[in-house]
Each structure stands twice: as structure tokens, then as C-alpha cells.
Amino acid sequence: FLNSIYAQVKQIAFENKDEIEKRYPKILRRVAGYNLDEFIKKDPFNLTKMIVGSEGTLAVVTEAKVNLVPKEKESVLGVIHFKTLFEALDAVCPILEFNPSAVELVDNKILDPASNTMEYARRMTFVDGHPGASLIVEFQGPKKRELELQINDLLTHLKKSKVGYSHVQCIEKSEQEDVWFIRKAGLGLVMGTRGARKPHGFVEDSAVPVEHLAEYIREFDKIIKYHKTEACYYAHASVGLLHIRPMLNLKDRNELDDMQSIADAVSDLVLKYGGAFSGEHGDGLARSCFNEKMFGPQLYDAFKKVKAAFDPKNILNPGNIIANQGLTENLRYDPQTRTQEISTFLDFSVEGGFYNSIEMCNGNGVCRKKDTGTMCPSYMVTSEEKHTTRGRANALRAALSGRLDLQEFTSEQMREVMDLCVACKGCKGECPTNVDMAKIKYEFLYQYHKKHGTPLRDRLFGNIELLSKLGCATSPVSNWLMNAPPVRWFLHQFAGIERQRSLPPFASETFLKWYGKRGAQDFSSERPKVVFFNDTFLTYNYPQVGIASIRLLEAAGYDVILPQKKCCGRPFISKGMLEEAKANAEYNIAQLYPYVEKGYPIVGCEPSCILTFREEYPEFVRDERSKAIAENSFIMEEFFTRHHDKRLNLKPAQTEFLLHGHCHAKALLGVKPSVDFLKMIPDAEVTVVDSGCCGMAGSFGFEKEHYNISLAMGERKLFEAIEAVDKKVQIVAPGVSCRQQIAHGTGEIAKHPVEILAEHLV
């Protein structure tokens, strides 16, 4: 059989030699069709070159040996900003004369959404102004100094020639990582576009000789404008391949017709400039229908013969390369698509409705990463697609788009899909399209409980403030009782609370009792005032954190006001008890707003509590009061490092610090406030663990069916990092759940950053 394939391919190539030399594009990036051009050369006849790029249509590859090129040790970047896309394209060929290793283009369709996305905006220090497009120029080599001279020569030449309005050097590794982070996020960022029109990739893989790139894109842009739409342009300018995605609403019959019209016009343009319709991603089902047009009927017939030689029964990826469908067939959406909206408790108007909040997931798969960041913690330890943000979105989408019965939206099967989402908000910060699966899960749980009822355990955890108040009132008897084996067995069996998990202790002297012993406070002085929001765990379980906070704030010159308050509502929210959470929000807003009116900031220690004011309160109470509270609420580290201009008198650090950040803070603020806060201590050395979610996630780690996976999340990186450092290193974690998980999983005591600084007060 193999001998027959060799003979047939050799014969096909020989018979079509002249047509192959005439029709195959003479460019670096071309993966369209089959590689028949490899078999008219004088090189040894190697069928591997036919298998490569055949998109699984010819054989099943079980093992492959590849040649690797060693990566150069050093690199430098230059980022050149231009007012328009075409100015950037005109600069590509002059830049290539300096022999860079890469020239990548990003336009404002990427840069603008990146600047409005939390995780990405923090990394955009290399952007100067508001460019219409930017070129990223890289030089690689063995010696950094020589590369610096190369980038200097290039940028000096460009400045003298008045090419580009700004020229930014990125020499340090961290600077370069930020640039490439934004560039690699390009597809996800443009796919996050809100509204009916979305960027679609049916012509996004064409390539032309680089010397024709600028004129090719000018004509391409005319096609886009003729169809009264727009497109994003980005990627590999140095090899003549830009990824271009026109904005279309494929649920509109006219725009579906535009899709075909644009593709036909662009394929004509590609042929005009001697390019390839498939430059690097392959023909797939979307572009195979253009292969006959690109290569001509003779070579297309040769492709059919190659396919038949390898796969006579046409069972391997039928439709790829040899087309069996048109461009607009079998789309996910078409004008017949009808989606169903549900009446939601939370406000999804910013996302364009609940269904569109799910549709923000475009399948880019960033949630499948395992090496860094927070998203998606359950997938990181299970490796199962249904436990990714994408998997959950696909399941919900199926129920609301008619692929499944609408009743499936609140089914037990859907609850299982959503079950391991720990609402870490990692997706909101790290997903290029900012899918907020935590918010979606809150709404799902609310809808699910409306249909099935709210379980006892959820009610217990949701009402943790009341239970803690009762526990402290009866301490130390309550502590003994809660840890008694019969009680733990009962809670394990009938409430589903894992008996191996240590329960937080009830304080015999709560934070409020300690504060009350200080006597009445005089707030009539001219000293600045700050409102301290004492969260439930700080108040009833770990009062030392609150005491440390008061000491710090007063040492900084503030009068500290404790407001009348209820629990922030986060425990209710996490269990889908949104009506109860809203009631707490309304009460707290009424109590806190008068202070905000006076200009007093609100600060607190628990990130999830304070960030509830910013994230959820404007959802529950849609008025100016909630917005004002959201804008004037800060976690302690953020308040001291960004809003407090007085230095504390602190003694030098005697140990190093290992910091594990809280998920919500990492998603919405980053870890920098906590790092900067600790570095207020003279000589402080702070190492941040890239540990993702600790796995505790509020009540998640207490639930018996989640106990093992909770520990697996912690063991993935966090426990290992803690066990690897010297015992003298102080572990620091702002989140109370994180500190509980660290103690349970490693036996080490982690402290809140405010405890650390309070210990260093002189």
C-alpha cells in the first residue's frame, strides 16, 4: 500500500510539473492545498513533506520527529507608533532592510480594547498616545549589547526619516513580556467586541509577498469599506501575512451575503498579488472551497488524486482541502438562529443581556492554560473541558440557543457543569474578552434555586455572619462543641461540611468588643477620617487583623470610624441568594453613603468584601449612592499605597516575605498594591507566588464533595512554593480563605499584610 502511494504521488507531481511551477505562490507563508511543489525538486523523495500540512486528511500521525532551531539567548524590541495603519505598512519594507528577526503589526482594534481590559491595561506601559497602528520590531542574537546597537540604529534612522511619531525601546525582559502578552492576546481581544457584529475569520489567513503588502491592504480595506463595515488588522507584517477579520452580523441575511462577497473579492485580490489564501492556519472547512480558484482546475483535480491515493474511502477529515461545502454552510449562527433571553435578577445590560454575556466567550481557549495565572482553577487540576470557562459557556449557550431544551438551563446536569466554578473572577481579568463567569454563575444559582429550592448548607454558609455572632456569644463552649467528633460527623453526613477541614475559631473577645473597650471616640478633631469596614471573619474569628488595621490607620494620622453595617453579602452572592444579598447591600449603602458624602474613604481588609462594593453593589442598587461607594472603597493595601501620602515609621524587615494574592484582587487590581504595601517596610524582599487560586474559595473548600479538589488546587503550586522556602520566610496572604487553606494544607501560619506592617511599627 505504501509503495503504491509513493508511486502515485510521484506520478501526479510529474504529470503536473509545469502547472505546479506556474500556480504555486512563491512566498514564505503558504499552507493551502497539498505540498506537490516539494515533489518536483531534486531533493530525495520524502512523503513526510506531503503529510505535513495535510490537515489530517491523508494519514493519522501517531509520532513525529521534528527539527528544532535553537532560540537565541538575547532579544530586544522596538515599538514604533503610527497615526494610521497605512503609515505603519509603508514602513515595513524599510525596517526589513535592518534584518530584524520579526516585525509584527497591531492596530487600534487591539490596542483600544486592551487598554480597557484590567489584566492587559496594566501591561501597556509601552504604548505612547493613541496609535492607529504599531509595529513591534524584534532583534535576536547571542549578545545583548550588539542588539541594543541594532535597535538604536533602526530607531535613529526612523526618527531622522520621520517614520512613526513615537519610538519605544523595550530592552528588559519584563518589558518585552508585556509587549508580547498584548500581541498574543490580539485574537481574543478583537473577538470580545460587543454588539451584533462580530469579527469573523473567513479571510484572516491570506498572505502576499511582503513588498506588495501595503498596496494589497489598501485594496483590501476598500473592499471592507465598500461593504460598509470595518476590520481589524494584525500579526506577521514581516512575511506579508496580516490576520484580518471583517465585522459582520451573520444572523442578518444581507451581511451573510456580504461574507461571501468579501471572500470572493479578497480571493481575487490574493491571486492578483501572487499570494496564498491560506497563509499559515490551513484551509479547513472555511477556505477549502477556494482551492480550485487559487490553484486552477488541473491542480485541484491533482489534489483529489492525492487524497484518493492515501484515503480512497474519504474517511479522514472529509471537506478539508478537497471541499464538500461552501463558505456560508454549517455556520454556528445564521439568520434562522433564535436565542432565548431569561428574566435575570442581576443587571446584564452592559453586556447586552444575559445571553450576550455568555456569548462573550468566543472559544479562544485561554481558560485552558495551566502554567500561569488564575483562570481556570478547576480545569488546571481536572484537565476536563467542561470545567473551563469555555466549557461552561458552551453548555449554557446550548440551552439558550435552542440546541437543548430551555429546561436544561436549570437542570441537574447544568448544575454539575457549573459546580466547580469557584467564582475566582480570573476569567474577568485574564480572558481577552472578559467573560465574567462568576457573575454568570451567581445568576445561574439564583435561577436554579428558584426552581429546586436552596439547600440547607447554602443557607448556613450564606448566613455566616449570624452564625458567627451566635458562636462568639457562646464561646468557648461553641468552639468545643463545633470540634467535637459527633458534631463534626453530623455536619459531614447531613450538612455536607467536610469533617477533615478545620473550622474557623469563634473569638472570645470579638473585634467589636476590643474596639468598644477603648471608650467613646472623639471625631471632632481636624485629623482626616476613614471608615473601616470590619468584615465578618475579622470581627468574629480573627480580630487581630482588625486590631492591626486600627493601629496602622491611627499611626498614619487617621481617625477611624466603625459604621453600623451588615455582612457585605458576598456569602449570599456566592450561593445565588441574591435577594438576601441585595437586602444587605441596601442597608450598607444607606449606612455608608453619608460618610462618602463627607469625603471619607471606606477601607477594609478582606478583598472579596471591599470588591463587592465595587462589583456587585451597583448591580443591586442602581443609583448614584452605590456608584459613589464603589468609587471610594479600597482594600487596605491599595489605600496606603495609592491614596495615602504619609509615610509610616517602620523598622527594617528581619525576614523575607512570600506573598499569595487573593483571586478577586488579582483579577481586578493585580498584586502590585500588596507588594508595594509590604515594600513600605525598609529592606523588605517580597516574592509573589504565581499560584492561581488557593482552592479554598470561601465555602468551597469546606464542602465535602469539593474537599479533595480544593486541596488539589492548593497543591498545584501554592503548597509546593511554601514548603520550598526557608521556615524563617513569612507567608503573607490578604484573603482569609487563603490563610485557612495554607494552614490546613501546609501547617504554616500566613498573615494578613496589615499584621506584618503593624508588627514593624516603631
Side-chain angles (χ1 to χ4, degrees):
F1 180 66
L2 190 58
N3 289 339
S4 173
I5 294 175
Y6 267 98
Q8 290 182 70
V9 171
K10 189 173 183 178
Q11 182 66 24
I12 293 168
F14 176 78
E15 292 175 350
N16 294 278
K17 183 176 184 296
D18 292 343
E19 193 73 359
I20 290 170
E21 290 178 337
K22 174 185 174 183
R23 300 294 299 244
Y24 270 70
K26 307 301 188 290
I27 57 176
L28 180 62
R29 298 290 180 96
R30 194 273 313 162
V31 295
Y34 289 124
N35 294 336
L36 281 171
D37 56 327
E38 291 291 337
F39 299 93
I40 61 172
K41 300 176 182 178
K42 294 181 179 180
D43 297 338
F45 198 84
N46 185 353
L47 269 185
T48 301
K49 294 183 178 181
M50 180 63 77
I51 302 299
V52 171
S54 63
E55 303 182 38
T57 62
L58 302 183
V60 176
V61 178
T62 60
E63 185 176 311
K65 182 178 180 180
V66 298
N67 291 325
L68 298 179
V69 177
K71 184 178 180 180
E72 294 288 359
K73 182 180 178 181
E74 302 290 351
S75 65
V76 298
L77 294 182
V79 183
I80 303 102
H81 299 309
F82 301 85
K83 293 180 180 179
T84 70
L85 167 69
F86 300 117
E87 287 179 15
L89 293 171
D90 288 334
V92 172
C93 285
I95 289 173
L96 290 176
E97 294 177 7
F98 287 77
N99 297 314
S101 57
V103 181
E104 295 284 302
L105 180 139
V106 290
D107 74 353
N108 56 8
K109 298 293 191 302
I110 292 174
L111 297 175
D112 290 350
S115 65
N116 295 317
T117 304
M118 289 167 287
E119 176 68 11
Y120 299 90
R122 294 191 284 265
R123 294 174 176 261
M124 293 187 65
T125 55
F126 62 90
V127 177
D128 182 10
H130 299 282
S134 300
L135 292 176
I136 303 166
V137 183
E138 181 184 57
F139 290 93
Q140 291 185 350
K143 297 181 180 179
K144 177 66 72 76
R145 179 56 186 161
E146 292 180 359
L147 299 177
E148 291 179 15
L149 293 175
Q150 285 182 277
I151 196 68
N152 281 332
D153 288 345
L154 170 64
L155 297 185
T156 299
H157 171 77
L158 295 177
K159 290 174 185 176
K160 287 182 178 179
S161 304
K162 296 183 179 180
V163 175
Y165 73 81
S166 179
H167 310 79
V168 179
Q169 287 192 32
C170 298
I171 305 300
E172 298 302 320
K173 184 179 179 181
S174 60
E175 297 173 321
Q176 296 179 49
E177 287 175 347
D178 286 344
V179 175
W180 290 127
F181 186 84
I182 298 299
R183 162 60 190 89
K184 290 176 182 177
L187 174 59
L189 287 165
V190 299
M191 290 297 289
T193 304
R194 295 178 180 177
R197 279 186 163 183
K198 300 288 185 183
H200 293 283
F202 58 102
V203 289
E204 53 82 47
D205 200 31
S206 56
V208 298
V210 67
E211 61 270 21
H212 297 309
L213 179 63
E215 51 191 316
Y216 165 70
I217 296 299
R218 281 185 168 88
E219 291 197 54
F220 197 123
D221 197 58
K222 288 179 182 177
I223 295 171
I224 296 299
K225 287 183 170 59
Y226 174 81
H227 289 86
K228 296 181 173 59
T229 186
E230 55 185 348
C232 60
Y233 299 82
Y234 71 99
H236 321 301
S238 56
V239 291
L241 195 162
L242 296 188
H243 295 316
I244 308 167
R245 290 183 169 242
M247 301 284 292
L248 294 170
N249 175 14
L250 300 187
K251 298 176 185 177
D252 183 304
R253 167 52 61 185
N254 292 328
E255 297 201 27
L256 185 63
D257 293 340
D258 285 343
M259 180 183 186
Q260 184 70 58
S261 176
I262 291 170
D264 290 338
V266 169
S267 60
D268 290 342
L269 197 59
V270 170
L271 289 175
K272 173 183 176 181
Y273 285 104
F277 205 54
S278 299
E280 64 174 358
H281 293 163
D283 294 320
L285 296 176
R287 286 182 282 271
S288 292
C289 56
F290 289 94
N291 273 337
E292 185 169 7
K293 178 178 181 178
M294 178 175 168
F295 290 98
Q298 180 178 328
L299 286 182
Y300 191 67
D301 185 62
F303 292 165
K304 291 180 179 179
K305 292 177 180 178
V306 170
K307 171 69 170 172
F310 280 87
D311 181 23
K313 295 184 179 180
N314 194 33
I315 61 175
L316 297 177
N317 277 355
N320 283 8
I321 299 181
I322 305 301
N324 64 0
Q325 68 175 44
L327 175 66
T328 60
E329 296 178 43
N330 294 317
L331 300 177
R332 179 200 274 179
Y333 304 116
D334 60 35
Q336 282 72 50
T337 301
R338 294 291 180 269
T339 58
Q340 301 183 72
E341 279 290 347
I342 61 172
S343 177
T344 62
F345 187 92
L346 294 175
D347 180 11
F348 287 90
S349 58
V350 172
E351 295 88 348
F354 183 65
Y355 184 79
N356 279 338
S357 74
I358 297 167
E359 270 297 280
M360 288 172 67
C361 172
N362 57 47
N364 61 67
V366 175
C367 48
R368 290 177 60 89
K369 62 186 173 67
K370 290 188 174 185
D371 54 342
T372 188
T374 300
M375 179 182 71
C376 182
S378 49
Y379 174 76
M380 286 180 175
V381 296
T382 67
S383 298
E384 293 186 23
E385 171 71 13
K386 78 172 183 178
H387 296 143
T388 62
T389 301
R390 180 174 71 180
R392 297 177 185 112
N394 282 338
L396 293 166
R397 180 188 290 119
L400 296 179
S401 65
R403 289 175 55 201
L404 297 175
D405 190 287
L406 184 60
Q407 296 298 316
E408 290 298 318
F409 175 68
T410 50
S411 68
E412 176 60 22
Q413 290 84 351
M414 193 68 75
R415 189 202 65 78
E416 291 176 5
V417 170
M418 301 298 293
D419 185 46
L420 295 190
C421 171
V422 295
C424 65
K425 294 185 182 283
C427 49
K428 183 168 185 178
E430 296 175 19
C431 174
T433 60
N434 303 133
V435 178
D436 191 350
M437 189 53 65
K439 180 179 178 181
I440 293 169
K441 181 178 182 180
Y442 303 149
E443 183 65 44
F444 165 78
L445 286 175
Y446 175 75
Q447 301 288 341
Y448 181 83
H449 292 333
K450 274 176 59 177
K451 180 177 180 180
H452 300 281
T454 304
L456 170 64
R457 185 178 66 187
D458 286 6
R459 293 190 179 278
L460 289 174
F461 283 130
N463 286 283
I464 191 66
E465 183 183 47
L466 175 60
L467 294 176
S468 297
K469 188 180 295 185
L470 293 172
C472 288
T474 57
S475 176
V477 174
S478 55
N479 284 323
W480 174 85
L481 187 63
M482 292 301 293
N483 287 288
V487 174
R488 296 307 305 273
W489 177 87
F490 180 86
L491 291 174
H492 184 92
Q493 292 297 122
F494 297 103
I497 298 174
E498 174 57 46
R499 58 186 168 192
Q500 296 183 68
R501 179 69 73 177
S502 303
L503 296 174
F506 297 119
S508 55
E509 181 177 79
T510 67
F511 171 72
L512 292 176
K513 282 186 179 179
W514 172 85
Y515 189 84
K517 286 182 178 180
R518 306 173 82 214
Q521 304 296 304
D522 180 11
F523 297 126
S524 62
S525 70
E526 295 298 318
R527 284 159 54 97
K529 309 292 188 293
V530 64
V531 179
F532 183 69
F533 188 87
N534 50 300
D535 63 83
T536 295
F537 284 101
L538 175 156
T539 302
Y540 299 108
N541 307 103
Y542 307 103
Q544 68 272 18
V545 177
I547 295 169
S549 300
I550 301 299
R551 289 183 61 205
L552 281 180
L553 290 167
E554 291 182 343
Y558 290 95
D559 285 338
V560 184
I561 300 170
L562 258 60
Q564 292 292 318
K565 55 168 279 294
K566 290 183 177 180
C567 170
C568 69
R570 173 63 61 189
F572 286 134
I573 294 169
S574 68
K575 296 304 177 187
M577 300 168 68
L578 302 183
E579 293 175 10
E580 293 88 340
K582 181 179 180 180
N584 279 24
E586 290 172 337
Y587 180 87
N588 287 336
I589 288 170
Q591 299 300 318
L592 294 173
Y593 183 66
Y595 296 116
V596 172
E597 274 192 307
K598 295 178 181 178
Y600 301 167
I602 302 165
V603 300
C605 291
E606 184 57 32
S608 60
C609 292
I610 294 300
L611 295 176
T612 299
F613 296 165
R614 295 191 191 179
E615 290 278 290
E616 280 79 24
Y617 275 23
E619 302 270 351
F620 292 135
V621 181
R622 299 164 197 171
D623 63 17
E624 293 305 314
R625 298 176 306 152
S626 63
K627 292 179 182 178
I629 289 171
E631 292 169 358
N632 290 278
S633 300
F634 312 99
I635 63 172
M636 285 284 285
E637 303 98 291
E638 182 187 22
F639 175 71
F640 269 94
T641 56
R642 298 183 184 177
H643 304 278
H644 170 64
D645 57 2
K646 300 176 184 177
R647 302 295 298 178
L648 292 168
N649 190 10
L650 302 170
K651 57 189 176 184
Q654 299 298 312
T655 184
E656 298 175 16
F657 303 107
L658 185 69
L659 173 66
H660 167 74
H662 186 282
C663 288
H664 289 190
K666 284 189 285 191
L668 304 176
L669 303 173
V671 295
K672 191 174 186 298
S674 294
V675 173
D676 291 346
F677 184 64
L678 290 170
K679 286 189 174 181
M680 290 173 65
I681 303 170
D683 303 331
E685 294 184 19
V686 183
T687 300
V688 178
V689 187
D690 184 12
S691 45
C693 178
C694 73
M696 194 65 174
S699 65
F700 182 84
F702 286 103
E703 296 163 356
K704 69 177 183 180
E705 71 273 22
H706 298 146
Y707 176 69
N708 289 331
I709 198 166
S710 167
L711 287 181
M713 290 179 189
E715 289 164 353
R716 190 184 70 85
K717 279 192 176 182
L718 178 59
F719 296 170
E720 181 180 295
I722 291 172
E723 290 163 356
V725 298
D726 190 284
K727 294 295 182 182
K728 294 180 181 178
V729 174
Q730 176 62 60
I731 314 302
V732 187
V736 64
S737 293
C738 306
R739 298 195 297 275
Q740 292 169 344
Q741 178 80 317
I742 289 168
H744 185 77
T746 70
E748 299 295 329
I749 301 301
K751 294 185 177 182
H752 193 287
V754 297
E755 294 181 88
I756 303 297
L757 258 72
E759 290 171 359
H760 287 77
L761 284 172
V762 175

